[in-house]
Amino acid sequence: MPSKEKKRRCLSSIGSFLKRSQSCNENGEGSSKRSCSNASIPSVSNVNAIPQRSQSPLPTTTTTPIASFDLKDLPKDPADRPRITTYNSNQRDEIRRSYLLQGPCQPRGHTFPIKIIGKKKRRFVDEWFDEFDWLEYSKKVDKAYCLFCYLFGDMVGQQGGRDAFVTEGFNSWSKKEALRIHVGNIESLHNKARQKCEFLMKEKQSINVAFKKQTEVEESNYKLRLRASIGACRFLLKNGMPFRGHDESSGSLSRGLFIDTLSLIREHNEAIYNVTLEKAPQNNQVISPKIQKEVIECFSKEIILSICKEIGKDFFALLVDESSDVSKKEQMAIVLRYVDSIGIVKERFIGIVHVKDTSSLTLKEAIYEVFTGNKLSMTQVRGQGYDGASNMRGVDDFFDQISLVVNVVCASCKRKDMVRENYRKRVQKAIGNNELQTGRGLNQETSLIRAGDTRWGSHYKTIASLMNLFPEVIGVLDYVKEEGATLSNRNQAQGILSYFKTLEFVFYLHLMHEVLNLTGILSKHLQKKDQDIVEAASLVRGTMNALKALRATGFEKTLAKVFSFCHKHDINIVDMNENYLLKLSELYKKDFDDFERMQLEGELEIYYHSLHNDDRFTSLKGIADLSCLMVATGKHRSYPLVYRLLKLALVLPVATATVERCFSAMKLVKTDLRNKMGDDYMNDALICNVEKEALMKVNIEDVMDRFQKMCTRRCQI
């Protein structure tokens, strides 16, 4: 019995010892040896320090390893990234590839905060991104980091100052030389980390591939197989078709359009037939849903890359609109408008982003993230257009102001009496000056008419009465501005006055008077009870022809009435003889300095006389044709300031119709049957479907190269 008890205690002691050793090893920093605290080690700065024995065990301070991570959720800001060693060792290479494909976080055009160093103001300089391709910047902490050292710093060792570019961040903006010191010579740890990044993206040269040599036949078969899958993807993306099927097993008749398209391709090519689908290795058929999404992403990235290369560092306009998809998720589409290298104005779709709300701050952050990911800068933006409804904003504002002025003028009997009395005095004065005729039914007392809620014909009466009583209405508004009961009433009257005394308002007033006069006649005839369908159709055709004639030849007559009205009521008008090109250049102070604006005036004069007698410029239809012809004839090099000004005028957005067409395509790509499509997948598919021309120009070799770099493949090219 005693021997058994002794044996049990011995086994228990051994088990406890092994348990402590295993626990220490699992933490990643222990061993079977006895641990000691930092207090038992003499300080480096004080060599005479006496070692002290730890009174209590030191707690373990390791970071919990991340088991698995979705590559789509990788933090972009360097300050938010955990150490690369905290990720699962089997997933680290994929994470490194993802970061290398994205490129360093370089928020170009960001307003970098100023920091006082010594007695001088210092900040991060945007041009450092061009000089140091590894440099990253965190907007959250205003610090710089090194992408290469973050990805492979754990494998190349430690060097002085590395933590400043990996974990702590560098913000000594007065010491640019520290960036060059960090790079060091060819044998520096930074360059070793860069070399490892280059080797990682060249998978065929890695050690793992060397252990598994593939024959030339296997590589050739893999290329054919991958090309066929890429071709099938491009066809479906161009036509906005779904990829997946209900049952994708080999014996099914509903395997989906991707496999059906691939089957159709292989039927007419024996070489492809022998290496695809059932003829391919079961673990390397290149047809899985994940493979399909990766190929779609490759196409999308190549299209965006081509657009960004075409823009370069030139300026562009930003077009944005929001709409909900079939899943009732708010989506924001982004389109860029720019002038390409041959002078053609283009509007290109660069992505759709899911936003939680449509507040200005949310949209700004989403736009900024898209720009940062595509190496674009907000400093390149020269115009912005939001929401397609804004195309009619001027007309909307006009009718809003009309309703508002009726409410203000007719708010009390006293104001109505003021309108009547002032109108009576004006009529008497005009009769005395023989400006008005007298007779039965003429010069009757009138008032400002309120528009109805359901009939547009009532708006015509409101506009007509406002044109007739315009001086009296202005007088009442002046009175309210000075004698209003509350500050709100006075400010409201002042705002209406400032709008009424503009050429824009007078133009809308006369234009809507003409249009509503024509449509009002049609409306009255259609309201008759004895109207037949033949007569109604004739009236509609007649009204349409009248509106077309007004559009074609009525502008000059309307403009003459507008100028006459402005002269009569002392409203400032536009001087058509003034040089507005020089005025336009004053709005773009970053594009034209004072010297260039002075030089522009002389260049415009020479440009005018040079092109005046040039027959090539006599049949132009607009400034878009002028831009193309200037590039074709080389005039853009002879008159660079004029061409720059012309491009600034061309990139200004006129409408957001292109964004609306993107939403129309979204309804074809994400349908009721595909309502579970993810945001990233929909964005990639929609870019390919909208930018069909760019999709067809994408080089298959570039897609294959990007596809191979995304993760470790079973075969290499």
Side-chain angles (χ1 to χ4, degrees), residues 100 103 174 183 224-225 250 283 315 345 363 369 377 393 472 474 483 503 513 620 624 631 649 652 679:
L100 289 173
S174 60
V183 175
L224 283 175
R225 194 179 309 126
S250 58
N283 60 353
F315 44 77
V345 182
L363 298 183
E369 184 176 350
S377 173
R393 183 178 176 182
E472 288 71 32
I474 295 296
E483 306 294 337
L503 178 64
H513 182 269
L620 299 177
V631 176
L652 289 177
D679 293 333

Side-chain angles (χ1 to χ4, degrees), residues 54 107 110 208 341 365 375 398 491 690:
S54 175
H110 173 65
N208 294 331
S341 58
E365 290 296 328
K375 302 296 185 294
F398 170 76
N491 291 337
V690 173

Side-chain angles (χ1 to χ4, degrees), residues 581 592 600 603-605 607 626 630 635 639-647:
L581 290 175
F592 295 95
L600 177 62
E603 190 172 297
L604 278 170
E605 189 70 21
Y607 170 78
L626 176 61
M630 282 189 69
K635 298 289 186 182
Y639 307 98
L641 297 179
V642 175
Y643 185 65
R644 188 191 308 170
L645 191 62
L646 180 62
K647 289 199 300 180

Side-chain angles (χ1 to χ4, degrees), residues 116-132:
I116 303 298
I117 300 179
K119 294 183 179 180
K120 296 183 179 180
K121 296 180 179 180
R122 303 287 187 177
R123 65 175 179 84
F124 185 89
V125 181
D126 205 350
E127 286 74 14
W128 291 351
F129 289 139
D130 299 325
E131 187 173 353
F132 305 100

Side-chain angles (χ1 to χ4, degrees), residues 641-692:
L641 297 179
V642 175
Y643 185 65
R644 188 191 308 170
L645 191 62
L646 180 62
K647 289 199 300 180
L648 287 169
L650 286 171
V651 299
L652 289 177
V654 179
T656 56
T658 303
V659 189
E660 299 295 341
R661 284 193 286 270
C662 296
F663 289 133
S664 299
M666 180 182 69
K667 295 179 180 179
L668 298 176
V669 172
K670 188 173 183 178
T671 61
D672 291 330
L673 296 178
R674 306 174 74 187
N675 58 5
K676 293 185 178 181
M677 179 183 292
D679 293 333
D680 294 326
Y681 179 29
M682 183 185 72
N683 174 62
D684 295 333
L686 192 58
I687 290 174
C688 298
N689 183 254
V690 173
E691 297 292 336
K692 292 184 175 66

Side-chain angles (χ1 to χ4, degrees), residues 323-331 354 670:
S323 179
S324 59
D325 59 18
V326 70
S327 301
K328 305 303 178 185
K329 297 168 69 175
E330 194 71 22
Q331 305 287 354
H354 170 53
K670 188 173 183 178

